[in-house]
Amino acid sequence: VTAARGVLLCPITMGLLLQSLFLLLLLGSCLHPAAAFPKGCYPSEEEGLKTFRCSNAQLTEVPRDIPNDTNKLYLDSNQIPFLPRDAFRDLPHLLELDLSHNAIARIESGAFQGLAEHLHSLDLSSNRLVSVSKDTFSNLKAKVNLSNNPWLCDCRLQELIRAVELASDSSGGIVCDSSTQEEHVGKAFLQVIADTDLCNVYKKTTDIAMLVTMFGWFAMVISYLVYYVRQNQEDARRHLEYLKSLPSKQRRSEESSTISTVV
């Protein structure tokens, strides 16, 4: 009887072991993708959209292991200092990108490459942006929030603002932290360019600088020519005085020599 029971329990035990092993493998496969995410980052689903949140995760760069089917990406409240080229190229379905409250001071050309057709919201507010080329947002159709950055108000910023579509109620937050013209500091940038064309002012300033430079060179040339003529006149006068001091015969010979030399 004992032997029979042992024979009967053997298949049951093996079955339970195999079932447990299968469950462990299944659980491991489910947990594996999450283990690859940076600490503080997790996927979720919000209003039917696949969301990946890394808010306040102490990130110093854009994570690489973001699911490529992500629709909404939150990288806000971190310490990301710059955005490299192709930072989001593997996210073909991204609709919203939140990069607010970081330390972004530089954006490389092509950082948003691949997002032009589908991205409709880009938040870069509360960063450390001073100056950004308009080409950075080339072909981007998203509404962009650029408020609360220490902007340098100049022609470059004017070109940028005119090249992007600003998010509603964000334009008032684009304030001149510094400017090519001191009276603009502390003012809303849209108010500044409503009264002054900074690119036209820059062109006029450049034209004036070129004119001043050309006038300076012209004055130098004229001064040199005047000095050269006066110096030659002085040398000729001294030479004539020298000739007058010579005996008449030798003087006539020297004068003839001088005239022939001049001729």
Side-chain angles (χ1 to χ4, degrees), residues 71-74 94-99 112 115-116 118-124 140-145 165-168:
N71 303 128
K72 299 170 72 175
L73 177 58
Y74 293 88
L94 195 62
L95 302 175
E96 297 182 18
L97 176 56
D98 189 347
L99 290 160
F112 303 113
L115 302 181
H118 43 84
L119 189 71
H120 63 70
S121 176
L122 173 60
D123 194 344
L124 285 164
L140 206 62
K141 298 177 181 178
K143 293 183 179 180
V144 185
N145 188 341
E165 183 180 355
L166 296 176
S168 59

Side-chain angles (χ1 to χ4, degrees), residues 36-242:
F37 298 150
K39 184 179 179 181
C41 298
Y42 61 92
S44 64
E45 189 163 327
E46 300 176 7
E47 300 177 352
L49 296 174
K50 293 187 176 180
T51 303
F52 192 73
R53 285 190 176 274
C54 288
S55 303
N56 201 19
Q58 299 182 352
L59 299 177
T60 56
E61 62 180 4
V62 176
R64 298 180 181 179
D65 299 314
I66 302 171
N68 58 14
D69 59 350
T70 298
N71 303 128
K72 299 170 72 175
L73 177 58
Y74 293 88
L75 298 174
D76 56 300
S77 303
N78 287 288
Q79 292 94 44
I80 300 172
F82 81 103
L83 301 178
R85 182 179 178 84
D86 294 325
F88 308 99
R89 67 177 180 179
D90 297 324
L91 302 172
H93 305 290
L94 195 62
L95 302 175
E96 297 182 18
L97 176 56
D98 189 347
L99 290 160
S100 63
H101 296 90
N102 273 280
I104 301 170
R106 182 167 61 92
I107 303 176
E108 291 186 355
S109 178
F112 303 113
Q113 190 170 324
L115 302 181
E117 294 301 320
H118 43 84
L119 189 71
H120 63 70
S121 176
L122 173 60
D123 194 344
L124 285 164
S125 63
S126 300
N127 277 281
R128 299 178 184 174
L129 296 171
V130 175
S131 183
V132 179
S133 170
K134 65 177 181 178
D135 297 332
T136 303
F137 302 94
S138 180
N139 300 320
L140 206 62
K141 298 177 181 178
K143 293 183 179 180
V144 185
N145 188 341
L146 297 172
S147 62
N148 299 320
N149 281 279
W151 290 110
L152 166 63
C153 292
D154 60 359
C155 177
R156 198 179 195 201
L157 180 58
Q158 179 174 310
E159 290 179 339
L160 170 63
I161 295 301
R162 290 178 175 174
V164 300
E165 183 180 355
L166 296 176
S168 59
D169 301 326
S170 71
S171 58
I174 303 174
V175 178
C176 301
D177 187 72
S178 58
S179 176
T180 51
Q181 299 184 40
E182 191 65 27
E183 64 269 21
H184 296 156
V185 175
K187 292 184 178 180
F189 186 66
L190 290 190
Q191 177 187 346
V192 170
I193 59 176
D195 301 328
T196 307
D197 186 343
L198 294 180
C199 293
N200 192 39
V201 168
Y202 175 78
K203 185 177 182 300
K204 287 181 179 179
T205 304
T206 304
D207 291 344
I208 291 171
M210 289 180 64
L211 287 172
V212 169
T213 303
M214 290 175 64
F215 178 78
W217 280 106
F218 182 73
M220 288 176 62
V221 171
I222 294 298
S223 299
Y224 176 77
L225 289 175
V226 170
Y227 170 79
Y228 180 79
V229 170
R230 287 183 177 177
Q231 189 66 32
N232 283 350
Q233 287 177 343
E234 185 65 23
D235 291 342
R237 186 184 63 78
R238 286 199 297 266
H239 190 62
L240 288 175
E241 289 178 352
Y242 167 72

